[in-house]
Amino acid sequence: MTSSVALPPASRLWLLMMLLGVCAPHFSVIPTWLMLLTAGVLVWSTATVLGKVTGIPRWLKWGLVVGVIIGVFLSATRAKGLEGLSTLLVAGAVLKLLELNTRRDGWVLVLVACFIAAVGFLFNQSLLAAIYGILSLWVIFAALISMHQTDKLGNDLKPLQKSGVMLLQSTPFMLVLFFLFPRLGPLWNVQYKNNVAQTGLSEMMEPGRVSELARSEKIAFRASFEGNKPPALEERYWRVMTYSDFDGSRWLVDEEPASNDTMPVIKPSTQINYQVIAEASAREWLFTLDYPQSIKISAVKQADGTFRALSPLMERVSYSATSVIQRAPEALTAFQRNKYLALPSRGNPRTRALVSSWLQQGVTQAAIVDTLFNLYRQKFSYTLSPGTLAGERIDQFLFDSQQGFCEHFAESSVYILRLAGVPARLVGGYLGGEWNPFENYLQVRQYEAHAWAEAWFPDQGWVRLDPTAAVAPERILQPFDELFGDAPEFATETAFSLINLESNVQWIGQLRLRYEALNYQWHRWVLGYHHQQNNLIQDWLGGISVLKMLMVLGSIALVLGAVIWWLLRTPRVALHVLDEDIEVLSRRLGRFNKSLERQTGETVMHYAQRLSESFPETQSLFLRWAKAFQAQRYAPGRYPASEYRLIYNQLAREIKHKKYRAKP
C-alpha cells in the first residue's frame, strides 16, 4: 500500500515548513500556551529529522495529548467567536505531528493545513493576507509533491518549482470561476456574528461604550464622493442609529420605521452623492452622511432618518447614498413627542434641581441649549479616560467629575433637554474620516465613533446639537488621530500600529496611505466583485435566469471537458508502413465479417494461415504476402521492396473486388 510508505526526511521538512507557514497567521488569535507548544513541537520535530535529537518519548506524547485536549476544551468554551475553531485546527495539526511517520499521515496533515489556511481568511481579508495565502498554497503543494519523491536531504527545490507550475496552470480555471461562478453565502454566519460584534456601535449605549472604541483602529467603512469632493471636516457627521428610550442606566435604540408624514423634504441644491463600502459589523445599521435621504440597497428607512439593512452585515457591502447638508423642518406626532420627552420618574436629583432653577429664573426652552453649553465651556474638560461613573451617573458627571467623552456630554444634554420639556434624542455614529489622496476616498475608523444630541423645536424641526463642539471644538476641526495620537488609550488594541508611529516618521504615513489605497481597490474590485457580477452578467445575457446560468456553466463545462480530453488522450503511436498495410487489410476484411480481423498478438504468418483456411482459393496469395512481409519487415536489404509491394497490391485488389465470407 502506497499510503503506508515511510515519509522521506526531505518530505518531513517540507511538511514542517508548511505547518509553520499556515499556523503563523493564527498566533495572534490562539491561546499563548498553544502558540508556545506549536513552536516547541516544530523545533523538536525539525531536530529529530536532522538527527540532532531522538524522537519524543511515548509517555510525553500521551501527556501532550491529554493536556492539549483539556486546554482546547477550556479555550474553546471561553472563546467569543472563531478563535475556538482556529484553536481546534492548530491543536489537531500539532498532535498529528507527533505521529508523522507514513505518507498517509502526510496526506492528513496537508488536508488540515488547507483548512487552517482557509480559516485565516475569516480574520483577515486584506491584500497582504491574499498574497500570504497564495504563498501558503505554494508551500502546501510543494509538501504534497515532496511526499512522492526519493528520500534525500539537501536544498532540493524541485517540489517548489513543480508546485509553482501547478498554480500557474490552474490560474485560467481560477479566473473563469472568479468571473462567472455565482458567489455562495458564508456557512459560518452564527459564529462570525459573535466575532465581529466585539467592535462598533451597538443598540445599547451607556457612558464608556463609545470611548472604548478609541482603542480600536479597525476600519468601519470607506466612502468615495461624486466629483471627489468630500464635505468639510465640520460636516462629516455619519449617522448610524439613534437612542430614544432611557431606563435610568442605558439608552436603547429607536426602531420606529419611517412613514410618509415623517419623510423630510429634499433640497436638491445641497445634495451629496457618495458610495460607501461598509465592513462586516453583524448588525443591520448602515452608515450614511447626516442627513440621509435615499440609499441604493435593500434597506428600511427609520423614522429617525437612519437606514437599516434587511439582514445583518455579515460581509463587506457596497451601496450608494444621497444626503443633504440641511433639511426642512419635520413635524412631530403626539406619540413621538411623548417618546422623546420620556424619563424615569426619579433619579439624578441634583440635575433635576438645576433644570428647575433655570426654568424658575425664566430661561426659555430655546435658551436652555446656550445655558447648558456655556456651563460646559466654563467648567468641563474633554478626555479619553473619564473614569467610571455609577448610580446617579448624570449627577456625578455634571457636579463631581466634570470631565468626559462625547457620550457623557451628549447623554447629559438629552437628559437636561427632556427635563426642560424639549424633545430630544441621542445619536450614535462617526465624526471625521481620513482622506486618502491616492485613491480619493474617505476612510473612517472605529476610534472616530461619536455621539451627539438632537433636539426638536417647533419652528426648526430636529436640530443637531453637539456639546463636544462647545467643550472641545478641536475635536470637530481636527482628525481624531492628530488630536489624541499621544493619549495612552489611543489605538491600544493593535500591538503594532503604524498610525502611532506616523507622528515621528512621516514617510510611514505616506507608505500606509499608499498601501491602504491599493487595499481599497482590492476590496472594491476583487472582494466586492460579486456586487458587480450581477450587473456584468445581466449586460452580457440581458437578464439572469436559472436556464441561462445553466447554459453558461454548461458551455464552460463542455470547453473544459474538451481541453481535459485533449490533454489526457492517449497519443496515436506511429506505425511502420508495413504494419499499416496489415491494419488496412484487417479493416477491409472486417467489413465483411468481424471474425476476419487480425486478433491482438496474432503473428502475420498465423493470420495468413487462418485466412487461407477460410478461403482456400486464395491460399497461395495470402501465404506469399506473409512470407514477403516477414522478409521485407525483418530483412529489408535481402528482399526487394518492389516485389513485396506487387504482392500486397494484388492481394488488396482481390479483397476489394470479391466478397469474403468466413466458413462456418
Side-chain angles (χ1 to χ4, degrees):
M1 294 290 289
T2 57
S3 59
S4 60
V5 174
L7 283 171
S11 177
R12 291 169 183 261
L13 290 178
W14 276 111
L15 289 169
L16 293 174
M17 284 189 287
M18 173 197 74
L19 200 59
L20 175 62
V22 298
C23 289
H26 294 262
F27 285 167
S28 61
V29 295
I30 62 176
T32 304
W33 66 265
L34 183 56
M35 181 180 68
L36 297 175
L37 178 64
T38 303
V41 172
L42 283 172
V43 170
W44 193 319
S45 300
T46 304
T48 303
V49 175
L50 296 177
K52 304 296 183 184
V53 298
T54 59
I56 299 177
R58 192 174 185 81
W59 63 267
L60 183 54
K61 289 181 181 179
W62 280 107
L64 288 175
V65 170
V66 174
V68 167
I69 291 174
I70 296 174
V72 168
F73 177 76
L74 295 176
S75 300
T77 52
R78 296 173 181 173
K80 296 180 180 178
L82 295 168
E83 292 83 357
L85 173 62
S86 182
T87 299
L88 180 65
L89 287 173
V90 174
V94 171
L95 291 182
K96 189 60 189 174
L97 270 185
L98 303 178
E99 293 294 334
L100 186 62
N101 299 314
T102 63
R103 188 175 291 171
R104 178 185 297 169
D105 299 329
W107 290 341
V108 173
L109 200 59
V110 166
L111 288 176
V112 175
C114 290
F115 273 103
I116 295 175
V119 170
F121 287 108
L122 300 180
F123 299 100
N124 190 351
Q125 300 176 9
S126 66
L127 178 60
L128 285 180
I131 295 174
Y132 191 87
I134 293 174
L135 295 176
S136 298
L137 276 182
W138 194 5
V139 177
I140 290 173
F141 290 162
L144 183 61
I145 293 171
S146 70
M147 289 192 296
H148 301 272
Q149 292 197 333
T150 57
D151 183 2
K152 60 180 181 179
L153 279 172
N155 298 322
D156 188 358
L157 298 179
K158 286 184 180 178
L160 204 59
Q161 295 172 357
K162 291 183 179 179
S163 174
V165 172
M166 289 173 59
L167 284 176
L168 290 176
Q169 289 174 335
S170 65
T171 301
F173 187 63
M174 178 195 71
L175 292 176
V176 169
L177 291 179
F178 174 79
F179 283 109
L180 296 179
F181 198 79
R183 302 299 193 266
L184 300 176
L187 303 177
W188 47 81
N189 282 4
V190 175
Q191 292 188 1
Y192 190 57
K193 178 175 182 177
N194 292 335
N195 190 58
V196 300
Q198 297 175 6
T199 61
L201 298 168
S202 68
E203 288 82 359
M204 180 186 67
M205 180 179 285
E206 56 187 352
R209 293 255 177 177
V210 177
S211 56
E212 284 181 1
L213 294 178
R215 303 176 186 276
S216 172
E217 63 174 48
K218 291 182 179 177
I219 295 174
F221 63 93
R222 302 174 178 85
S224 55
F225 297 86
E226 190 175 76
N228 296 328
K229 294 179 180 178
L233 280 172
E234 63 273 18
E235 295 174 346
R236 294 178 187 173
Y237 282 87
W238 295 92
R239 192 183 192 89
V240 179
M241 60 186 81
T242 67
Y243 305 87
S244 57
D245 299 327
F246 183 55
D247 63 2
S249 61
R250 303 169 302 171
W251 292 87
L252 305 179
V253 72
D254 191 349
E255 300 188 21
E256 179 186 354
S259 58
N260 292 332
D261 55 351
T262 60
M263 295 291 286
V265 179
I266 299 176
K267 294 183 176 180
S269 59
T270 61
Q271 278 190 359
I272 299 177
N273 300 317
Y274 53 97
Q275 183 182 21
V276 174
I277 299 178
E279 296 294 313
S281 63
R283 303 185 190 284
E284 298 91 349
W285 304 98
L286 300 172
F287 308 97
T288 52
L289 189 66
D290 225 0
Y291 303 97
Q293 296 300 310
S294 62
I295 190 169
K296 292 183 179 178
I297 190 174
S298 298
V300 176
K301 186 168 185 176
Q302 304 294 114
D304 57 8
T306 60
F307 285 89
R308 193 169 187 173
L310 300 183
S311 59
L313 306 184
M314 306 310 299
E315 58 180 354
R316 187 176 292 106
V317 298
S318 174
Y319 54 88
S320 301
T322 300
S323 296
V324 295
I325 298 300
Q326 295 180 340
R327 59 181 177 184
E330 304 168 45
L332 203 63
T333 65
F335 169 78
Q336 291 172 330
R337 182 179 180 80
N338 292 332
K339 179 173 65 174
Y340 294 125
L341 286 174
L343 284 175
S345 57
R346 292 182 293 181
N348 299 294
R350 288 185 287 176
T351 303
R352 292 175 184 267
L354 175 66
V355 176
S356 178
S357 67
W358 284 349
L359 296 177
Q360 290 175 1
Q361 294 169 14
V363 179
T364 63
Q365 291 183 347
I368 283 285
V369 176
D370 292 335
T371 305
L372 177 61
F373 281 18
N374 283 332
L375 178 67
Y376 288 150
R377 292 189 189 95
Q378 294 169 5
K379 299 182 178 179
F380 288 74
S381 61
Y382 191 75
T383 176
L384 280 180
S385 52
T388 303
L389 303 176
E392 307 294 349
R393 192 174 63 224
I394 296 177
D395 275 0
Q396 293 178 31
F397 169 66
L398 290 175
F399 299 98
D400 300 330
S401 68
Q402 297 190 336
Q403 60 177 4
F405 198 52
C406 59
E407 55 208 337
H408 297 84
F409 293 98
E411 176 194 45
S412 57
S413 297
V414 172
Y415 193 86
I416 288 175
L417 286 170
R418 289 191 179 186
L419 286 176
V422 179
R425 62 192 177 195
L426 201 57
V427 185
Y430 295 82
L431 173 62
E434 182 182 28
W435 182 252
N436 190 315
F438 300 107
E439 283 295 337
N440 296 318
Y441 70 92
L442 197 68
Q443 186 164 266
V444 181
R445 297 179 183 275
Q446 292 294 349
Y447 58 64
E448 291 170 303
H450 190 58
W452 62 93
E454 282 186 343
W456 186 87
F457 298 98
D459 55 341
Q460 295 177 284
W462 285 107
V463 177
R464 181 196 302 144
L465 301 174
D466 191 353
T468 300
V471 68
E474 61 275 13
R475 168 67 182 97
I476 312 300
L477 301 174
Q478 280 184 256
F480 190 89
D481 55 317
E482 291 183 9
L483 190 61
F484 293 104
D486 296 330
E489 300 86 1
F490 177 72
T492 53
E493 281 191 358
T494 306
F496 181 76
S497 173
L498 290 178
I499 296 178
N500 281 332
L501 298 177
E502 290 174 11
S503 57
N504 299 322
V505 188
Q506 292 186 352
W507 63 267
I508 292 180
Q510 294 294 312
L511 184 65
R512 177 182 61 82
L513 287 175
R514 286 188 179 277
Y515 168 71
E516 289 176 347
L518 194 62
N519 212 30
Y520 173 71
Q521 294 298 340
W522 167 259
H523 287 298
R524 188 175 182 183
W525 296 109
V526 180
L527 298 183
Y529 173 72
H530 59 287
H531 297 297
Q532 306 162 28
Q533 188 183 41
N534 291 339
N535 296 333
L536 183 65
I537 294 177
Q538 194 159 10
D539 292 341
W540 288 356
L541 305 178
I544 302 175
S545 67
V546 175
L547 179 60
K548 290 179 178 179
M549 288 302 299
L550 290 176
M551 291 175 63
V552 171
L553 295 177
S555 302
I556 295 171
L558 286 177
V559 173
L560 290 176
V563 172
I564 293 173
W565 172 82
W566 176 260
L567 294 175
L568 299 180
R569 67 186 173 85
T570 303
R572 187 170 183 269
V573 179
L575 296 176
H576 190 277
V577 63
L578 297 181
D579 296 333
E580 286 277 3
D581 292 342
I582 301 177
E583 291 292 324
V584 172
L585 287 177
S586 177
R587 284 200 300 272
R588 287 181 179 177
L589 288 169
R591 293 172 189 166
F592 305 122
N593 194 315
K594 283 290 182 183
S595 65
L596 298 180
E597 289 183 348
R598 185 189 179 195
Q599 298 176 359
T600 303
E602 189 176 25
T603 64
V604 176
M605 182 55 72
H606 185 271
Y607 184 40
Q609 290 172 348
R610 184 162 62 86
L611 293 175
S612 298
E613 293 174 358
S614 299
F615 310 103
E617 66 277 12
T618 321
Q619 178 181 14
S620 62
L621 187 57
F622 278 125
L623 295 178
R624 283 173 56 203
W625 166 72
K627 292 177 181 177
F629 177 89
Q630 290 178 331
Q632 180 64 24
R633 184 73 170 86
Y634 303 112
R638 292 184 292 179
Y639 193 87
S642 58
E643 186 68 20
Y644 165 79
R645 187 54 55 190
L646 183 65
I647 297 173
Y648 174 77
N649 290 338
Q650 184 180 357
L651 181 59
R653 286 195 298 273
E654 183 72 14
I655 293 174
K656 182 176 181 181
H657 295 297
K658 291 187 177 180
K659 299 293 185 183
Y660 281 78
R661 295 180 183 278
K663 289 184 177 179

